[in-house]
Amino acid sequence: GAVEPVEWFVVFHPNSTIRWLSRLTPGRFKHVSAFAYCPGFKAWLVFDPQWSGMRLMLFAHGNDAKAALCKYTDGCEIVKITRADAPMRLSSRMMFYCVPAIKHLIRLRCSALRPASLYRHILHNGGVLIDAKHPEHSG
């Protein structure tokens, strides 16, 4: 009876919380995370892989969640995508940082190693760009 979101909103962050990583990461985006709405729980689930560990946050649906998600995605690009049903290859577990973690979450098979190349791949493969200031309109 578990509920697993099928549609995810992938968030492409222009900055990383780690300064040196922001400088070393080429391209427009420096980090990637995702969030989804869980209707059975009436909550938003945020999945944010970080160097210090995996961060999971739940926001109860409502104005507080709306404000928190708007703040979390401020200045970011958001792309909505439906999770695939394909199993992931074992080789995709190497170097498990934010990009491979998001690829696993949405079960996306691609060679993207950087947030910017993942962004392009998702947009070319069914992803829909969402207005970052209003992520709640799609839930």
Side-chain angles (χ1 to χ4, degrees):
V3 178
E4 185 178 355
V6 175
E7 288 189 329
W8 285 89
F9 297 87
V10 182
V11 183
F12 293 89
H13 303 264
N15 298 305
S16 170
T17 56
I18 302 170
R19 276 192 208 167
W20 63 266
L21 191 58
S22 279
R23 285 187 280 239
L24 288 178
T25 305
R28 183 170 152 205
F29 304 111
K30 310 302 179 184
H31 181 63
V32 61
S33 63
F35 66 91
Y37 185 67
C38 302
F41 295 101
K42 296 182 181 171
W44 290 93
L45 171 63
V46 177
F47 176 84
D48 190 354
Q50 300 177 354
W51 283 105
S52 59
M54 196 64 64
R55 184 174 185 198
L56 297 173
M57 297 177 284
L58 279 175
F59 296 108
H61 188 69
N63 288 335
D64 290 344
K66 193 180 294 188
L69 284 173
C70 283
K71 183 178 178 181
Y72 180 75
T73 60
D74 186 38
C76 299
E77 295 279 338
I78 303 171
V79 180
K80 180 179 175 182
I81 189 161
T82 301
R83 188 195 70 219
D85 287 327
M88 297 299 291
R89 296 183 192 116
L90 183 60
S91 63
S92 66
R93 295 182 190 266
M94 293 185 176
M95 299 175 20
F96 203 68
Y97 56 100
C98 66
V99 172
I102 296 299
K103 290 183 344 186
H104 267 266
L105 179 70
I106 61 176
R107 297 183 187 161
L108 181 65
R109 287 181 162 189
C110 73
S111 61
L113 297 176
R114 298 175 300 133
S117 54
L118 180 62
Y119 176 80
R120 287 189 301 274
H121 184 84
I122 289 175
L123 285 178
H124 285 105
N125 290 280
V128 177
L129 189 61
I130 303 294
D131 180 1
K133 290 183 176 46
H134 302 286
E136 70 282 352
H137 290 309
S138 301

